[in-house]
Each structure stands twice: as structure tokens, then as C-alpha cells.
Amino acid sequence: MENGSLFFNFNLTMFVNIGSYRYPAFVFCLLLFAMIVSANLVIILVISKQRTLHEPMYFFIVCLSINSLYGSAGFFPRFLMDLLSNTHLITHSACYTQIYVIYTYASFELTILSIMAYDRYIAVCHPLHYHSKMTSKTVCKLAAFAWICPSFSVATCLYLTIRLPLCGNKIVKVFCAIWNIAKLSCVSTVINNIVGLLVATTTVFLPLAYVLYTYLRILLVCRKSSAEFKGKVLQTCLPHTVSFVNYCITAFCDIALSRINVEKLNPFVAILLSLEFVVIPPILNPLVYGLKLPEIRRHIVRMLPWSKTTI
């Protein structure tokens, strides 16, 4: 076997040769990228400009939008270049940088959604104590926790991956991923697997369990409440539920894709499953919050140049 030091680049092998169709595909993905950026910027601008929206729930929505911009910036520029290229080689440094951005984006998304679940739990189950518990200081601490902890956990996993000697350079994916690189290792990856399991438990399964717990408590409270109260809870909790379920499905597809033999799948199906994870949440989140939350929707409509009426 060749030593990993002989490989100066990784080869992303999931790209399919679509000939002249790559130009329409490039235009479509570029428009999608522009739509993601525009939609999330609108959410950020509306919430930051309107004092009535300077509340914890809306602050966390801004965090989601910022994270969507961050993750999209780590994926789309390189992906758009690969669509027009005949070769799909990526340097080790660029690959590891992309891994860090995409994995921290994924971790940030889950921790922010978990904190949003906590915010909704306090608002519904302890409404009289909401403002005393969700102070500006508490919100800042929760936001810092959502960004800092995943940064260190992903950095640890990435460091262990970078240290592995590699006996190949083919990554069966359209973007770099830790597990795909670990499979190229010339040595045992037991330590990587153990650390990866610990990180997955703390950054994925614990937040997932907590979100399920908070919504169980919310459902128990709603069961004993009036129809009007249930309607208000549904209005504020539904967008978060949609975002959370959507994220879990797309993340599961990506994890499953990295664990199966992708070569047995239809290449176009494999690419679509791989893209779900980095495309659907960034475009769906601003649409869900912008359309479902009346306060945000009202201010967005006011921003439209042809709008002359107040909703």
C-alpha cells in the first residue's frame, strides 16, 4: 500500500459526469445559494431593526440564520467550482477546513434548536418566571454555549483524523467528511471511533433527548389548557418543530449515507441525499419562521416596495 504522505489531494468521487447539463446545474445551485443568503439576511435584518422583536425567541432565530449563512459559505463556493470542473481534487488543508465548517454548522444547528426548545419550555410551562429566567445575560450565555462547545468537540475529532496515515485519497462524497477520510486510514481507528461516539452522544443524542423531553412537558401542559392557549402555543412552537424534524431527517440521511456502500446506489439519488443536509435546513428555516410567525411576517411584508398596507 502506498503511504498517505504521497497523496497531496483528496479526490471527491461522487460527482457524476453530466456533460453540458453541468451549466444549468451550476446556474440552479447558484440561484439556490443566492436564495439562501437573501432569505436569511432578510430574517436577520428584520429582527435586528425591529425593537418589538428584541426578545430571546427571535434572537435565537437570528442565530439560526447566521449559522445557515456560515454553513452555506463553507459548502456552496467549493461545490459550485466542482460543478464546472472536470477534476474534483481538493487539497488536504481545504478539505479539513471544509470539514470543520460543515461539522460545526451541523453541531451549532442542533445546539441552537435545543436552546430554542428550552426557551419555549420556559415560556409555556413557567410563563410567570419567563422574564426572570430568560434574561439578556442568560440568553448570551446560552448562545455562547451553543457556539463554543461544538467548536471544541469538532476540533478534537478533526485533530484525531488529521493525524491518521492514509492509504488512499478517494472520498465517496461531494464534500469532505471525517468518516470517509477515516476509512482511508492505514491503521486502526478505534480511538477515533470512541471519541466520535462520545462527541455524537454529547452533541447529538443528549440535545435530541432534551428536545423530546421539553416537548413532552409542553404537551402535558397544553392538554389541560384552553383552546386559545393551545393555539398560541402551536403558533410559536410549530416553526421550531418543523425545523427540528427537518434537521433530524436530513442529518439521518447524511449519517446513513456515510455508513452504507454508496456505489450500490443510483449516483443521482446518492448526491441528492448528500446535499439534503447542507441545503434544505438553510433554505427551509427562514421560510418557516418568516411565514409562520406573524410578527416576522408582518414586518417582512412592510419591507416590500409594493406593499402600502399594514398587516
Side-chain angles (χ1 to χ4, degrees), residues 253-274:
C253 289
D254 185 72
I255 293 171
L257 195 64
S258 65
R259 295 297 191 271
I260 64 176
N261 187 356
V262 180
E263 295 176 354
K264 292 183 180 180
L265 291 177
N266 181 293
F268 292 102
V269 173
I271 290 174
L272 289 176
L273 290 175
S274 183

Side-chain angles (χ1 to χ4, degrees), residues 10 12 75 78 90-92 94-100 102-103 171 173-181:
F10 289 114
L12 303 172
F75 168 73
R78 172 72 205 191
I90 182 171
T91 63
H92 286 194
C95 187
Y96 293 134
T97 300
Q98 187 182 60
I99 286 175
Y100 185 78
I102 290 178
Y103 275 64
I171 299 177
K173 215 168 177 67
V174 293
F175 58 86
C176 294
I178 287 179
W179 178 248
N180 296 79
I181 294 177

Side-chain angles (χ1 to χ4, degrees), residues 2-246:
E2 294 178 275
N3 187 279
S5 62
L6 298 178
F7 298 107
F8 299 102
N9 300 285
F10 289 114
N11 186 14
L12 303 172
T13 62
M14 193 182 280
F15 283 94
V16 179
N17 184 8
I18 55 177
S20 59
Y21 289 106
R22 61 183 176 178
Y23 298 108
F26 172 84
V27 172
F28 173 77
C29 291
L30 181 61
L31 291 174
L32 185 62
F33 182 36
M35 186 183 300
I36 289 173
V37 173
S38 301
N40 283 284
L41 282 178
V42 167
I43 295 294
I44 294 170
L45 289 173
V46 166
I47 294 176
S48 61
K49 283 187 174 183
Q50 301 299 326
R51 285 186 171 276
T52 56
L53 301 181
H54 291 181
E55 298 178 10
M57 180 178 72
Y58 299 107
F59 174 77
F60 295 133
I61 293 174
V62 167
C63 290
L64 271 185
S65 290
I66 291 173
N67 189 48
S68 294
L69 294 175
Y70 168 71
S72 298
F75 168 73
F76 273 99
R78 172 72 205 191
F79 180 71
L80 290 170
M81 288 172 56
D82 281 323
L83 281 177
L84 296 181
S85 177
N86 293 320
T87 60
H88 307 103
L89 299 177
I90 182 171
T91 63
H92 286 194
S93 58
C95 187
Y96 293 134
T97 300
Q98 187 182 60
I99 286 175
Y100 185 78
V101 172
I102 290 178
Y103 275 64
T104 48
Y105 148 75
S107 301
F108 295 156
E109 189 85 2
L110 191 55
T111 50
I112 294 169
L113 287 170
S114 301
I115 292 170
M116 292 176 75
Y118 171 73
D119 174 72
R120 292 299 85 205
Y121 164 71
I122 298 297
V124 175
C125 300
H126 304 281
L128 299 179
H129 303 285
Y130 180 77
H131 292 291
S132 62
K133 289 187 175 184
M134 297 301 293
T135 62
S136 299
K137 189 175 181 179
T138 301
V139 169
C140 290
K141 286 182 178 179
L142 289 172
F145 172 81
W147 296 98
I148 293 173
C149 289
S151 298
F152 282 105
S153 60
V154 171
T156 301
C157 292
L158 184 57
Y159 171 72
L160 293 174
T161 303
I162 292 173
R163 292 176 67 249
L164 292 174
L166 304 178
C167 290
N169 73 332
K170 293 183 179 180
I171 299 177
V172 189
K173 215 168 177 67
V174 293
F175 58 86
C176 294
I178 287 179
W179 178 248
N180 296 79
I181 294 177
K183 289 194 289 189
L184 301 174
S185 174
C186 303
V187 298
S188 172
T189 58
V190 173
I191 295 178
N192 296 65
N193 293 336
I194 293 174
V195 173
L197 182 61
L198 291 174
V199 169
T201 301
T202 55
T203 61
V204 178
F205 295 109
L206 286 181
L208 175 62
Y210 180 74
V211 171
L212 294 176
Y213 166 77
T214 56
Y215 270 90
L216 176 61
R217 293 292 300 272
I218 290 172
L219 287 174
L220 291 175
V221 170
C222 288
R223 192 176 65 172
K224 303 175 183 178
S225 304
S226 65
E228 183 182 358
F229 180 82
K230 290 177 183 177
K232 290 181 179 179
V233 171
L234 180 64
Q235 188 179 69
T236 57
C237 291
L238 183 60
H240 177 267
T241 305
V242 172
S243 295
F244 181 73
V245 171
N246 167 64

